[in-house]
């Protein structure tokens, strides 16, 4: 008997290999098996929805998405729900970061992500991959007309943790800074994460987190792995993630998550 009715999977370092590819033949076969058994497949990512949609061009309408670390939910090709940063809070954060020239922010919205034209060129090049739906603006002093999900911020590696701590103290209860690796962090609502988004999506199908198997490798997967009825940390994942997961999946470069699913479904 298959011990889950839904699958939630992180992208970078989990589903994707380091070169951003995945075994499309195996995935297509597994997605068909899941559809036959009425098992939902959910991408749970900190990435922009458009980035993950492009990773699944042929399949995305048969899948569901918990994007932007739980801020934006898409099911059956349609918006299910979204959370947003209050506009006045966005303005405060812009002012705060403007006083710290070592910080380079990208503002992630529902219609587009936004990058300032004077941003560091290396940061812009990296963000163009992760934020394929984006616009370059003169500055964030004049905010575009959009719904805002989060900031992604580039920072010198040695200042990552101290900056995260400073923001979490200054904006406590209003915004939460979570590091996605030394050199960058996200600013999101403190009550939102992948587990919160997944719980909401599962409820729309009359399922609970107990019905879920989840796969992840990094810090923004912790809540999801703790909450899922069955959880797998990737072999290449952090020690923190491995401590909270029920089991270990093979390395992402060996299609580890897909191989685990194949053992259950094929």
């Amino acid at each position: 008997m298959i011990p889950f009715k839904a699958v939630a999977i992180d992208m970078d370092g989990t589903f994707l290999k380091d070169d951003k590819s995945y075994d499309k033949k195996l995935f297509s076969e597994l997605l068909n098996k899941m559809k036959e058994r009425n098992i939902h497949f959910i991408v749970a990512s900190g990435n922009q929805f458009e980035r993950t949609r492009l990773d699944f061009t042929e399949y995305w309408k048969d899948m569901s998405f918990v994007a932007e670390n739980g801020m934006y939910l898409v099911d059956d090709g349609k918006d299910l729900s979204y959370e947003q940063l209050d506009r006045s809070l966005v303005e405060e954060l812009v002012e705060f970061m403007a006083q710290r020239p070592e910080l380079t922010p990208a503002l992630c919205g529902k219609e587009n992500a936004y990058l300032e034209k004077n941003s560091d060129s290396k940061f812009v090049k990296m963000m163009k991959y992760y934020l394929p739906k984006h616009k370059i603006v003169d500055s964030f002093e004049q905010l575009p007309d959009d719904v805002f999900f989060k900031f992604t911020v580039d920072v010198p590696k040695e200042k990552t943790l101290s900056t995260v701590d400073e923001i979490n103290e200054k904006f406590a209860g209003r915004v939460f800074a979570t590091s996605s690796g030394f050199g960058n962090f996200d600013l999101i609502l403190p009550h939102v994460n992948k587990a919160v988004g997944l719980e909401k999506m599962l409820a729309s199908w009359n399922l609970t987190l107990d019905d879920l198997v989840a796969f992840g490798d990094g810090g923004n997967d912790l809540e999801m792995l703790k909450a899922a009825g069955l959880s797998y940390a990737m072999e290449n994942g952090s020690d923190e993630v491995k401590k909270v997961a029920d089991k270990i999946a093979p390395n992402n470069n060996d299609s580890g998550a897909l191989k685990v699913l194949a053992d259950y479904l094929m």
Side-chain angles (χ1 to χ4, degrees), residues 125-188:
K125 184 178 179 180
M126 178 176 69
M127 287 296 103
K128 282 183 176 179
Y129 169 79
Y130 285 106
L131 304 171
K133 200 174 178 184
H134 69 272
K135 287 184 176 180
I136 305 295
V137 297
D138 288 338
S139 79
F140 292 147
E141 289 182 9
Q142 293 282 1
L143 290 175
D145 184 19
D146 204 343
V147 169
F148 302 120
F149 296 140
K150 68 174 186 177
F151 282 95
T152 293
V153 186
D154 188 58
V155 63
K157 289 182 180 180
E158 67 276 7
K159 294 187 176 181
T160 305
L161 295 179
S162 61
T163 306
V164 163
D165 288 343
E166 181 186 2
I167 290 173
N168 284 336
E169 183 176 343
K170 183 176 178 63
F171 295 93
R174 302 174 65 207
V175 72
F176 182 67
T178 175
S179 175
S180 46
F182 285 96
N184 54 72
F185 58 88
D186 286 347
L187 298 175
I188 58 176

Side-chain angles (χ1 to χ4, degrees), residues 6-244:
V7 177
I9 197 159
D10 172 58
M11 289 297 287
D12 297 301
T14 301
F15 183 83
L16 296 175
K17 298 178 182 180
D18 290 346
D19 64 2
K20 307 302 182 187
S21 70
Y22 61 93
D23 187 334
K24 290 191 174 182
K25 182 176 182 293
L26 177 57
F27 174 70
S28 181
E29 292 172 1
L30 289 171
L31 189 61
N32 286 331
K33 294 287 186 184
M34 285 185 269
K35 286 162 66 177
E36 289 170 7
R37 293 169 169 81
N38 198 30
I39 295 171
H40 301 272
F41 183 80
I42 311 161
V43 173
S45 175
N47 290 345
Q48 185 185 55
F49 167 64
E50 183 66 9
R51 172 67 268 156
T52 50
R53 189 190 71 78
L54 289 172
D55 288 325
F56 296 99
T57 307
E58 308 99 310
Y59 319 107
W60 74 276
K61 288 189 176 178
D62 293 322
M63 300 163 47
S64 303
F65 298 84
V66 172
E68 308 278 10
N69 279 326
M71 293 289 285
Y72 184 28
L73 311 186
V74 178
D75 179 36
D76 197 26
K78 303 179 184 69
D79 290 3
L80 180 64
S81 70
Y82 59 83
E83 302 266 1
Q84 62 181 302
L85 297 175
D86 183 79
R87 199 172 183 88
S88 63
L89 175 59
V90 172
E91 291 171 349
E92 279 188 63
L93 290 166
V94 166
E95 185 177 350
F96 171 83
M97 288 185 283
Q99 296 168 5
R100 288 160 173 77
E102 73 274 14
L103 303 183
T104 307
L107 179 55
C108 303
K110 188 171 183 292
E111 296 303 320
N112 287 286
Y114 302 92
L115 299 163
E116 293 182 300
K117 69 177 183 181
N118 63 347
S119 296
D120 177 78
S121 59
K122 288 182 180 178
F123 178 71
V124 171
K125 184 178 179 180
M126 178 176 69
M127 287 296 103
K128 282 183 176 179
Y129 169 79
Y130 285 106
L131 304 171
K133 200 174 178 184
H134 69 272
K135 287 184 176 180
I136 305 295
V137 297
D138 288 338
S139 79
F140 292 147
E141 289 182 9
Q142 293 282 1
L143 290 175
D145 184 19
D146 204 343
V147 169
F148 302 120
F149 296 140
K150 68 174 186 177
F151 282 95
T152 293
V153 186
D154 188 58
V155 63
K157 289 182 180 180
E158 67 276 7
K159 294 187 176 181
T160 305
L161 295 179
S162 61
T163 306
V164 163
D165 288 343
E166 181 186 2
I167 290 173
N168 284 336
E169 183 176 343
K170 183 176 178 63
F171 295 93
R174 302 174 65 207
V175 72
F176 182 67
T178 175
S179 175
S180 46
F182 285 96
N184 54 72
F185 58 88
D186 286 347
L187 298 175
I188 58 176
L189 289 174
H191 65 277
V192 178
N193 54 53
K194 291 183 182 182
V196 171
L198 285 164
E199 186 173 31
K200 190 179 295 185
M201 180 164 281
L202 289 163
S204 74
W205 305 321
N206 295 314
L207 299 177
T208 72
L209 288 162
D210 288 338
D211 298 308
L212 181 71
V213 59
F215 297 82
D217 74 302
N220 66 349
D221 299 316
L222 286 169
E223 293 90 353
M224 170 177 79
L225 297 177
K226 288 177 183 176
L230 176 61
S231 60
Y232 284 83
M234 304 307 294
E235 185 180 64
N236 52 283
S238 69
D239 290 340
E240 190 179 18
V241 166
K242 290 176 181 176
K243 285 177 184 175
V244 305

